[in-house]
Amino acid sequence: MASNVNETNDVTLTKPIRCIVKLGGAAITCKNELEKINEENLEIVSSQLRQTMISSENVVSLDWSKRPGNSDISCNVDSFGDQLSFDANKFIVVHGAGSFGHFQASKSGVHKGGLDQPFVKAGFVATRISVTTLNLEIVRALAREGIPSIGMPPFSCGWSTSGRNIASADLPAVSKAIESGFIPVLHGDAVFDDIQGCTILSGDVIIRHLAEHLKPEYVVFLTDVFGVYDRPPTEPDAVLLKEIAVSEDGSWSVIKPTLQDMNKQVEIIVAAHDTTGGMVTKISEAAMIAKLGIDVYIVKAATSHSLRALSGEVRGNVPDDWLGTVIRRISR
Amino acid sequence: MASNVNETNDVTLTKPIRCIVKLGGAAITCKNELEKINEENLEIVSSQLRQTMISSENVVSLDWSKRPGNSDISCNVDSFGDQLSFDANKFIVVHGAGSFGHFQASKSGVHKGGLDQPFVKAGFVATRISVTTLNLEIVRALAREGIPSIGMPPFSCGWSTSGRNIASADLPAVSKAIESGFIPVLHGDAVFDDIQGCTILSGDVIIRHLAEHLKPEYVVFLTDVFGVYDRPPTEPDAVLLKEIAVSEDGSWSVIKPTLQDMNKQVEIIVAAHDTTGGMVTKISEAAMIAKLGIDVYIVKAATSHSLRALSGEVRGNVPDDWLGTVIRRISR
């Protein structure tokens, strides 16, 4: 797909990107309540990201804006004396929409295109309002932890599609932000489509594109379950798939646990309970990233396991007490 | 300045842009209270923009997100039955920062650059959070009036400077949004600068750049006073300058009212009371737009006068009962 993408790929990074993190919509918003952020999770996720990005223990908020209910702006200038630099590991954050945007997009069918129809155009506006509201809140949550986060909504940042495949993306802008010491925060967004007028560009597709071109050391998907299971994780017998191997041709198979013909079985069961395309899309996008030689970790947000995955601790040999799913290329 | 700007200017518009509107920071925010929107003014301004952009009397909100204090999302699908199209006059909205962003930017000196200093970098993050918060609220206010508004923060949309002059700007993205029937909403923003690292790109400079390249029929600045005065408008003898003529070389003179040597006098007095560069910048930016043959109207927001200016009614001969300042090129 990279070949037909119309973009200037003069991406030069002085230091490789350490990690691209997906904050899953289900992990940072309340699934069952429209446009509600899961504040508790978001706070822990932001704190874990700080711990893995910035070595300093000194948390200095970079959000100097008023918070709802507060009349004050806080900006402790003195705190910056000790803070010699924000020299952070290079991360990119991409978040899903969760309970933001989904209502607006599905109601109006933005993903199917047709901007000449007033209702689709209205939905495009409404969807963008909802997802940029979430983006701003996530940027603020990260900034409060001292992470120099910069919102880069794909619609504004030159991302567009053609027949729902990525047609353009301003990757130099992402690199420039990273090189300047910021943490870009992208998200699933409504974008223009050359063929059908508009569509929804998902966070997972964005991650794959970024991974393909910016070659991070590893990718972490933070979700609301411990990883990928062989059946809906709510079922009593659900088995967590700890390691999935991806071969050269992109096909994948379960390495751990070793169950007979688990692969086929998983494929069928996953497909059956996945009406939104969520887990199938995730595995197939993850497999495409792993195919590039980039390890992918799917792990429950705001747990000790996510902290270990973010810090890179589980790279190489996965510890037995780590809960999550590793998807990696077969090295033979 | 256009000559050294590094951008693809393949801007093709099927129909000229009717108007670029500046929503002055002082008109839409409360000057004396940090990060507070002047809701009443913003609502009237949004309503006036709807009246001048969209012929339909049918107001259908395009903001389907929850509002603070509300638990509901409203989306009246049925309303779109009658709404055959949003075919709107082509407008671009640019807003200032007012009581948003200013604190964060000036505290940290973002305009002076130096992104390698932690405090400047922190200020860059804090400024962007504050101005994008305002942008989102303005996009929502316009959308609630049925205007298909799309936030296009300059930082994200490819705007950058070199020595504080515009070095790049993704104008094709603005045109594309307009051609697709949306109303782009830009704003003063913190951006990267090739030479000094970063700076503040003001809304007024953005407007001039847009006017230069996209050639709107006219430009309207909505402010918190009736127009440009010969001295601070709070002084009892202040005289509203109703017409300012700009000559080929960019120099300007007051045509109405006709006072002896008013020109020199104004220049001196304006400069003396204008510590933030606000009015001097505004007149000189406006003069540069007028020099291109594009009439500029400076008018008090949320008044009958602003509605008349926005609708284009005062073009040609300015009615005697219209309060505001016209800045136009001398046609001889």
Side-chain angles (χ1 to χ4, degrees):
Chain A
M1 181 173 306
S3 56
N4 58 7
V5 171
N6 169 29
E7 64 196 343
T8 332
N9 273 320
D10 53 345
V11 179
T12 45
L13 288 164
T14 53
K15 214 171 84 175
I17 289 168
R18 185 159 172 82
C19 177
I20 299 178
V21 189
K22 168 78 184 293
L23 312 188
I28 50 162
T29 72
C30 302
K31 255 184 185 173
N32 301 319
E33 194 171 339
L34 282 172
E35 299 196 336
K36 185 155 173 60
I37 287 171
N38 185 330
E39 299 282 358
E40 197 188 333
N41 262 14
L42 180 56
E43 201 172 305
I44 299 171
V45 165
S46 302
S47 164
Q48 292 191 346
L49 285 171
R50 174 184 58 74
Q51 292 169 60
T52 50
M53 284 180 195
I54 306 173
S55 42
S56 167
E57 279 302 303
N58 188 9
V59 179
V60 184
S61 173
L62 310 184
D63 178 11
W64 305 346
S65 284
K66 285 200 290 194
R67 299 209 64 194
N70 275 15
S71 58
D72 278 0
I73 286 186
S74 76
C75 159
N76 191 350
V77 183
D78 303 333
S79 313
F80 288 87
D82 307 334
Q83 192 99 14
L84 285 175
S85 97
F86 284 113
D87 248 356
N89 285 308
K90 296 185 193 305
F91 272 67
I92 300 176
V93 173
V94 181
H95 62 82
S99 61
F100 288 75
H102 185 74
F103 163 81
Q104 291 85 354
S106 59
K107 187 99 183 173
S108 56
V110 170
H111 60 288
K112 290 183 291 189
L115 269 183
D116 49 336
Q117 298 163 52
F119 193 49
V120 175
K121 186 177 287 180
F124 192 92
V125 169
T127 301
R128 295 220 67 247
I129 287 173
S130 188
V131 294
T132 52
T133 300
L134 176 62
N135 181 248
L136 184 54
E137 287 310 313
I138 290 174
V139 166
R140 292 187 70 171
L142 296 173
R144 280 198 297 278
E145 280 289 326
I147 296 169
S149 52
I150 290 284
M152 300 191 78
F155 171 85
S156 323
C157 289
W159 293 68
S160 69
T161 56
S162 182
R164 304 178 72 172
N165 293 316
I166 291 175
S168 72
D170 190 356
L171 297 182
V174 176
S175 304
K176 167 76 177 160
I178 292 169
E179 282 298 307
S180 303
F182 295 104
I183 305 293
V185 185
L186 292 83
H187 57 88
D189 202 355
V191 298
F192 288 142
D193 186 286
D194 288 349
I195 294 171
Q196 63 178 42
C198 65
T199 195
I200 298 294
L201 179 61
S202 81
D204 290 338
V205 173
I206 290 170
I207 291 215
R208 177 171 45 80
H209 192 77
L210 290 173
E212 200 166 82
H213 293 276
L214 303 180
K215 303 271 189 306
E217 293 173 8
Y218 54 101
V219 170
V220 176
F221 285 85
L222 302 177
T223 69
D224 61 340
V225 289
F226 281 104
V228 179
Y229 288 80
D230 67 338
R231 69 201 76 186
T234 46
E235 287 187 15
D237 297 333
V239 176
L240 177 66
L241 309 179
K242 299 195 75 168
E243 196 167 340
I244 294 173
V246 178
S247 62
E248 300 285 330
D249 65 1
S251 69
W252 49 273
S253 55
V254 178
I255 300 283
K256 269 188 206 170
T258 44
L259 296 179
Q260 205 190 350
D261 208 9
M262 176 66 111
N263 186 16
K264 273 278 170 288
Q265 197 183 333
V266 170
E267 240 174 322
I268 293 157
I269 296 171
V270 165
H273 81 273
D274 190 13
T275 52
T276 64
M279 199 48 84
V280 162
T281 306
K282 200 176 295 307
I283 295 179
S284 80
E285 294 291 335
M288 289 177 83
I289 296 168
K291 231 181 85 177
L292 304 167
I294 300 163
D295 288 2
V296 177
Y297 306 94
I298 301 179
V299 62
K300 186 167 185 171
T303 61
S304 61
H305 308 289
S306 59
L307 182 58
R308 293 169 80 183
L310 289 168
S311 69
E313 187 199 316
V314 298
R315 299 179 69 199
N317 281 328
V318 177
D320 282 340
D321 63 345
W322 182 75
L323 290 183
T325 301
V326 183
I327 303 180
R328 57 164 66 124
R329 190 170 62 187
I330 293 172
S331 53
R332 59 186 152 83
Chain B
M1 179 174 302
S3 56
N4 58 7
V5 170
N6 169 27
E7 64 196 344
T8 332
N9 273 320
D10 53 344
V11 180
T12 44
L13 287 165
T14 52
K15 212 170 87 175
I17 288 168
R18 185 160 173 84
C19 177
I20 299 178
V21 189
K22 168 78 184 289
L23 311 188
I28 49 161
T29 71
C30 302
K31 255 184 185 172
N32 301 318
E33 193 170 339
L34 282 172
E35 300 196 334
K36 185 156 171 61
I37 287 172
N38 185 329
E39 299 281 358
E40 198 188 331
N41 262 12
L42 180 56
E43 201 172 305
I44 299 170
V45 165
S46 302
S47 165
Q48 292 191 348
L49 284 172
R50 175 184 56 75
Q51 291 168 59
T52 51
M53 284 180 195
I54 306 173
S55 43
S56 166
E57 280 301 304
N58 188 10
V59 178
V60 185
S61 173
L62 311 185
D63 178 9
W64 305 347
S65 283
K66 285 199 291 194
R67 300 209 62 194
N70 275 16
S71 59
D72 277 1
I73 286 186
S74 75
C75 160
N76 191 350
V77 183
D78 301 333
S79 313
F80 287 88
D82 306 334
Q83 192 100 13
L84 284 175
S85 97
F86 283 114
D87 249 354
N89 285 308
K90 295 185 194 305
F91 273 66
I92 300 176
V93 174
V94 181
H95 62 83
S99 61
F100 287 75
H102 185 74
F103 163 81
Q104 292 85 354
S106 59
K107 187 101 183 172
S108 55
V110 171
H111 60 289
K112 290 182 291 190
L115 269 185
D116 47 336
Q117 297 162 53
F119 193 48
V120 175
K121 186 176 288 181
F124 193 91
V125 169
T127 302
R128 295 221 66 247
I129 287 173
S130 188
V131 295
T132 53
T133 299
L134 176 61
N135 181 248
L136 184 55
E137 286 310 313
I138 290 174
V139 166
R140 292 188 69 171
L142 296 172
R144 279 197 297 277
E145 279 289 328
I147 296 168
S149 53
I150 289 285
M152 300 190 79
F155 171 85
S156 322
C157 289
W159 294 68
S160 69
T161 58
S162 183
R164 303 177 72 171
N165 293 315
I166 289 173
S168 72
D170 190 356
L171 299 182
V174 176
S175 304
K176 167 76 178 162
I178 292 170
E179 282 298 306
S180 304
F182 295 105
I183 305 293
V185 185
L186 291 82
H187 58 87
D189 201 356
V191 297
F192 289 142
D193 185 287
D194 287 348
I195 294 170
Q196 63 179 38
C198 65
T199 194
I200 297 294
L201 179 62
S202 81
D204 290 340
V205 172
I206 290 170
I207 289 215
R208 177 170 46 77
H209 192 76
L210 290 173
E212 202 166 81
H213 292 276
L214 303 181
K215 303 268 190 306
E217 293 173 7
Y218 55 100
V219 170
V220 176
F221 285 86
L222 301 177
T223 69
D224 61 339
V225 290
F226 281 105
V228 180
Y229 288 80
D230 66 337
R231 69 202 74 187
T234 46
E235 288 187 14
D237 297 334
V239 175
L240 177 66
L241 308 179
K242 299 195 74 168
E243 196 167 341
I244 294 173
V246 178
S247 63
E248 299 285 331
D249 65 1
S251 69
W252 49 273
S253 55
V254 177
I255 301 283
K256 270 187 203 168
T258 45
L259 296 178
Q260 204 189 352
D261 208 9
M262 176 65 112
N263 186 16
K264 274 277 169 289
Q265 198 183 331
V266 170
E267 240 175 322
I268 294 157
I269 297 172
V270 165
H273 80 271
D274 190 12
T275 52
T276 62
M279 200 48 86
V280 162
T281 307
K282 199 176 295 306
I283 294 178
S284 79
E285 293 290 336
M288 289 177 81
I289 296 168
K291 232 182 82 179
L292 303 167
I294 300 163
D295 288 2
V296 177
Y297 305 94
I298 301 178
V299 63
K300 186 167 184 168
T303 62
S304 61
H305 308 289
S306 59
L307 182 58
R308 294 170 79 183
L310 289 168
S311 69
E313 185 199 316
V314 299
R315 299 180 70 196
N317 282 327
V318 178
D320 283 340
D321 64 346
W322 182 75
L323 290 183
T325 302
V326 181
I327 303 180
R328 56 166 65 125
R329 189 169 64 187
I330 292 172
S331 53
R332 58 188 151 85

